[in-house]
Amino acid sequence: MDAMPPYHLKPWLVQYGTAVQAHLPRPAHASLAALASAACQRHAEQVAFSCVLPNGMFGRLSYAQVDQLSDRFAHYLRRVAGLQAGDRVALQMPNCLAWPVALLGVLKAGCVAVNTNPLYTPREMTHQFSDSGAKLVVIVDLFADKLEQALPGSVVQQVVMVKVTDFFPALVGGIAHAVMKYWNRAVPAHGLAKLHTLQQALALGAQADAGSAKAYWSGLNHDNLALLQYTGGTTGVAKGAELTHGNLLWNVAQMRAMAAPCIEEGREVVLTALPLYHIFAFTVNFLCMFEAGARNVLVPSPRPVQNLQRALENEKITWITGVNTLFNALLNEEWFSAFPPKHLKAGGGGGAAMHHAVVERFEKVTGAPLAEGYGLTECSPVVCFQPLHGPRKKDSIGIPVPGTDIKLVNDAGGEVALGQPGELCVRGPQVMRGYWQRPEATAEVLKDGWLYTGDVAVMDAEGTFRIVDRKKDLVLVSGFNVYPNEIEDALARHDAVLEAAVIGLPDAKTGEAVHAYVVLREDMATRVTEAELLAHCRELLTGYKMPAKLHFRDELPKTPVGKILRKDLRAEALAARRPG
């Protein structure tokens, strides 16, 4: 008879030892705004954020400056823009000094932030703005032309425009922005109305009220919505995960507990190459490190990877977070391997599986541990993390963070035997409230207090977990979720396409790559090329969602009722790759 799973015994608690607090007290703060305000007071004179451009030009903001500027932006939102508590504000910008000012201003105003990928196409922007009901958008000027196309189909009423060089010293910022605008021609012309620059908004906010913004957020509590983080979730349709102040505060406390040996108050310098609109960087790099009084070194774009060189050379980096592809790219740079960061304490990997060879090489080059974690947007996001205080089991996602319950179940919902694969289900204070205005989708994944992740895992006798496979057809490209339905829909919008199916296949550079299988209409089969279809997709899809390869076929495998069998395509493709 199979051994019964000891999930209720929480065998992972033994691995906490004395370094990790197993039972965390309730977070001291009622809201993220309160957490941020307290951190700014404790670390007022310290540098909170540096933004480093590829050429080494940089700008900085202290905790005191971030506190004052975000207060002013909160006043602007409430007293000038006329927003009310609970209104949604979309943030669409790369890593830059304007981002924390705007984000904290939104939270201090009692509003809800909607993280939006700045690389989205106008069609994708319209969907997210409309679905969230965002009334105001804060966007970088590099994508103003796309916003102009997206606004007519949304409910957005006002726009605040930022620059990557906002808060840089005047001369440095002026030169850097002029290069972007006139030399690189990266700043497009636009005809947007009802527009304020961030500097204008802050000036108006200062005029509206020079005092504290505490009145806006003093009534917030753990149950209030803080963030709409869009994801395909476990059901494949893009929707907003409702993350409350409590969800995020608890996850900050959980992550701080797991990383306690390597996070010292007011002494850390974290390199943020991952975009802050991604939930991993949002919680780990921004919230956790801000609460700890760290200096956050922002890189607007990590591609090409040489863009990180000046930041790594000029700052005493103690933490690096990233996905497997980022760490692998760094290790293939001579300047990094020859002169690794001298002060590095640890690296944190997530978003996609870390390759063993990359972890091993990174630790050899830097002398610092590279710990892997597991999470998902619906969990704010951290669920598991490899301990940093002792031996780590490679090729695993580690152990649950404090306060988190995990069980593995079969298709019938029963718990599987120890060592057997099952769907990973999570219960804890970091689990989302639900999907925004989608009760049916919420009910599919939240059952009796458990979140059914759709990921298949196994647990060993010591409570360490390993991801085996994904239950759904989700494709992970460099840590980003790519949903086959969306790409198939984009392909189907071309007149020549009769049918399309999309799968993910292993890729050395991106973890997985998108492969699209297309059946063309008979009368157009000889008139459409792969290049033309890819150009069509670029009009509708963000770069990381683009098919790496198009395969033309006469037919696609289907069930008797006509449903396309993606799993058969994947099995066929993998079999073709095997030698012999």
Side-chain angles (χ1 to χ4, degrees):
M1 182 176 179
D2 291 335
M4 290 303 294
Y7 305 119
H8 64 287
L9 299 178
K10 300 183 180 181
W12 54 84
L13 294 179
V14 177
Q15 295 193 55
Y16 287 172
T18 59
V20 178
Q21 190 174 357
H23 303 287
L24 299 178
R26 184 178 176 84
H29 302 291
S31 69
L32 294 174
L35 177 148
S37 181
C40 288
Q41 291 176 28
R42 290 198 310 274
H43 306 288
E45 302 307 314
Q46 292 180 220
V47 175
F49 297 94
S50 299
C51 181
V52 182
L53 301 182
N55 59 13
M57 290 182 171
F58 66 91
R60 289 177 176 172
L61 288 175
S62 70
Y63 276 84
Q65 288 174 311
V66 171
D67 198 28
Q68 180 188 61
L69 292 167
S70 57
D71 268 10
R72 290 178 179 176
F73 194 61
H75 289 313
Y76 169 80
L77 293 175
R78 293 298 294 267
R79 294 175 178 262
V80 180
L83 300 189
Q84 302 298 314
D87 282 345
R88 275 77 63 203
V89 178
L91 304 178
Q92 191 171 18
M93 65 193 99
N95 294 350
C96 58
L97 297 176
W99 193 92
V101 171
L103 184 279
L104 291 178
V106 170
L107 297 176
K108 285 182 173 183
C111 296
V112 177
V114 182
N115 271 331
T116 307
N117 187 334
L119 299 179
Y120 271 172
T121 64
R123 174 172 162 264
E124 292 167 320
M125 292 161 65
T126 299
H127 166 72
Q128 188 159 320
F129 297 158
S130 299
D131 188 78
S132 66
K135 291 185 177 180
L136 186 145
V137 173
V138 185
I139 188 170
V140 70
D141 59 359
L142 303 176
F143 306 109
D145 56 338
K146 293 197 296 183
L147 179 62
E148 188 174 2
Q149 298 175 54
L151 284 184
S154 74
V155 296
V156 172
Q157 300 167 2
Q158 298 173 81
V159 176
V160 174
M161 194 76 70
V162 308
K163 297 186 293 187
V164 171
T165 54
D166 275 332
F167 309 116
F168 276 45
L171 180 60
V172 173
I175 293 173
H177 190 262
V179 170
M180 292 180 193
K181 185 172 184 178
Y182 300 109
W183 183 261
N184 297 333
R185 299 185 183 279
V187 181
H190 64 82
L192 291 168
K194 285 194 174 182
L195 168 69
H196 283 134
T197 67
L198 179 59
Q199 300 302 331
Q200 290 171 335
L202 293 173
L204 290 168
Q207 293 171 15
D209 193 325
S212 170
K214 188 173 182 179
Y216 306 136
W217 54 263
S218 58
L220 294 176
N221 58 49
H222 283 199
D223 294 330
N224 289 117
L225 185 61
L227 179 69
L228 284 181
Q229 189 73 25
Y230 274 75
T231 176
T234 61
T235 57
V237 180
K239 50 200 169 289
E242 297 179 321
L243 301 182
T244 65
H245 286 269
N247 292 151
L248 292 158
L249 287 165
W250 274 106
N251 209 220
V252 168
Q254 291 168 323
M255 196 60 210
R256 287 292 306 273
M258 289 298 291
C262 292
I263 296 182
E264 297 180 76
E265 187 80 6
R267 298 178 65 86
E268 304 305 330
V269 182
V270 59
L271 179 69
T272 300
L274 291 179
L276 287 167
Y277 59 78
H278 192 286
I279 190 62
F280 179 21
F282 181 90
T283 298
V284 177
N285 288 57
F286 174 58
L287 292 179
C288 286
M289 290 300 183
F290 194 81
E291 199 267 344
R295 176 187 299 183
N296 213 310
V297 181
L298 306 177
V299 178
S301 173
R303 296 178 181 175
V305 74
Q306 290 91 339
N307 288 356
L308 305 181
Q309 184 172 359
R310 294 292 190 179
L312 283 162
E313 290 175 346
N314 297 345
E315 301 277 3
K316 296 179 179 179
I317 303 297
T318 62
W319 270 84
I320 299 176
T321 63
V323 294
N324 185 79
T325 50
L326 176 66
F327 290 115
N328 188 45
L330 280 172
L331 291 167
N332 287 317
E333 291 293 314
E334 184 177 354
W335 56 266
F336 183 86
S337 295
F339 303 100
K342 298 178 181 178
H343 305 278
L344 193 65
K345 292 182 178 180
M354 295 295 302
H355 294 173
H356 180 81
V358 172
V359 174
E360 192 173 63
R361 187 179 170 198
F362 182 88
E363 294 183 346
K364 182 178 180 180
V365 168
T366 66
L370 176 51
E372 183 173 357
Y374 165 81
L376 59 164
T377 299
E378 291 86 345
C379 290
S380 305
V382 184
V383 173
C384 292
F385 199 69
Q386 291 178 346
L388 288 167
H389 59 277
R392 290 173 294 115
K393 294 183 180 180
K394 302 293 177 66
D395 300 320
S396 80
I397 57 172
I399 57 179
V401 297
T404 302
D405 293 330
I406 289 181
K407 66 177 181 179
L408 305 180
V409 302
N410 55 30
D411 289 343
E415 294 184 10
V416 302
L418 181 64
Q420 295 300 307
E423 182 176 2
L424 192 153
C425 303
V426 183
R427 181 172 64 185
Q430 75 271 46
V431 174
M432 69 170 183
R433 189 166 71 185
Y435 292 123
W436 177 251
Q437 297 180 341
R438 283 178 168 80
E440 292 182 1
T442 299
E444 289 179 19
V445 298
L446 284 176
K447 304 171 186 178
D448 298 323
W450 290 92
L451 175 75
Y452 285 65
T453 68
D455 288 321
V456 178
V458 296
M459 185 188 81
D460 66 20
E462 295 177 325
T464 298
F465 288 83
R466 177 173 59 86
I467 296 295
V468 176
D469 202 353
R470 280 175 280 281
K471 193 174 181 180
K472 301 293 182 180
D473 293 325
L474 174 73
V475 184
L476 278 177
V477 178
S478 297
F480 287 92
N481 293 351
V482 177
Y483 309 105
N485 284 339
E486 185 176 9
I487 303 168
E488 290 166 3
D489 178 68
L491 284 164
R493 290 170 181 265
H494 195 287
D495 291 340
V497 175
L498 178 64
E499 293 177 335
V502 168
I503 62 171
L505 293 175
D507 184 87
K509 292 183 178 180
T510 59
E512 287 185 321
V514 174
H515 284 245
Y517 293 78
V518 176
V519 177
L520 296 175
R521 297 185 184 279
E522 187 174 353
D523 60 338
M524 300 187 73
T526 60
R527 295 161 50 191
V528 178
T529 66
E530 179 178 1
E532 289 172 353
L533 280 182
L534 289 175
H536 163 78
C537 288
R538 288 191 191 95
E539 294 293 323
L540 302 173
L541 301 168
T542 303
Y544 67 82
K545 299 178 183 178
M546 284 289 296
K549 177 66 177 177
L550 284 178
H551 306 266
F552 292 101
R553 294 171 63 108
D554 294 329
E555 61 180 7
L556 298 174
K558 299 174 184 175
T559 66
V561 296
K563 183 178 179 180
I564 295 173
L565 292 168
R566 293 181 186 142
K567 65 181 181 65
D568 287 7
L569 286 172
R570 181 176 172 82
E572 176 188 318
L574 292 175
R577 291 186 173 195
R578 296 190 190 105

